Amino acid sequence: MLHPQQFEINEAWIAFRLNNKAIRTEQDGDLNCIALMDAASCFLLASELISATSDEPTGIQFRRLLENAKSHKQQLPKTLFIAREDPAEMATRVATDLDIEVVRVPGNELLIFIGEARQAFAERF
C-alpha cells in the first residue's frame, strides 16, 4: 500500500480527477477538473478543466498541466501515479516523452493521498 512517507518531495506526482460529478457551467458546458498532486506532501500542484465529454485531457492540456505543476520546484517528477481505472493513454504518452515513469495502480491505493482534496472540492462546488 502506498503512503506519503514513502516519497521525497517532487519524487512522484499523482494525476487524478478532482471532482466526482461534472461541474456545470453556462458558458463552457459540463467540465471535469484534472489535477496533479505531489505524493510526499499531498500538495495540489496544478489543475486543468477539461470537457466532461472527453475521457481524458488532450496532449496539449496534459502538457500544460505538467508545466504548471513544474513551476513550483522547477522540475518534473521521476514517477507519475495514475489510477488503473482512469483513462490515461494521452497522459501516459506525454509523461513518457518527458522521461517520467508512469505507474498504474488501483484507484483505492491513491485515496490516502487524494481523498481529502476530493472531499474539499466536493464541499466547495
Side-chain angles (χ1 to χ4, degrees):
M1 193 71 147
L2 296 172
H3 194 275
Q5 293 176 340
Q6 291 177 248
F7 303 100
E8 298 292 325
I9 299 290
N10 238 30
E11 174 186 356
W13 292 353
I14 300 164
F16 67 103
R17 191 171 88 182
L18 193 53
N19 57 301
N20 291 323
K21 295 189 311 186
I23 304 161
R24 298 210 111 162
T25 68
E26 286 184 25
Q27 184 175 358
D28 297 316
D30 291 349
L31 302 171
N32 285 323
C33 186
I34 305 302
L36 285 174
M37 176 180 280
D38 178 70
S41 64
C42 295
F43 180 77
L44 202 57
L45 298 163
S47 62
E48 181 84 18
L49 293 173
I50 67 166
S51 172
T53 60
S54 300
D55 286 337
E56 64 173 314
T58 64
I60 291 169
Q61 289 170 322
F62 197 74
R63 191 173 296 276
R64 183 172 48 232
L65 184 64
L66 286 169
E67 286 301 316
N68 288 338
K70 178 184 173 184
S71 69
H72 292 281
K73 292 285 185 180
Q74 301 308 310
Q75 70 183 60
L76 293 168
K78 294 177 182 130
T79 306
L80 179 67
F81 290 103
I82 304 174
R84 249 187 231 139
E85 302 83 5
D86 293 345
E89 181 180 324
M90 190 56 64
T92 299
R93 186 176 305 145
V94 169
T96 302
D97 287 348
L98 294 169
D99 294 323
I100 301 169
E101 178 186 7
V102 176
V103 178
R104 303 299 300 263
V105 297
N108 63 346
E109 287 193 29
L110 298 177
L111 289 178
I112 190 168
F113 301 93
I114 66 174
E116 190 174 318
R118 278 187 172 166
Q119 182 180 350
F121 191 87
E123 289 171 3
R124 181 139 193 231
F125 295 97

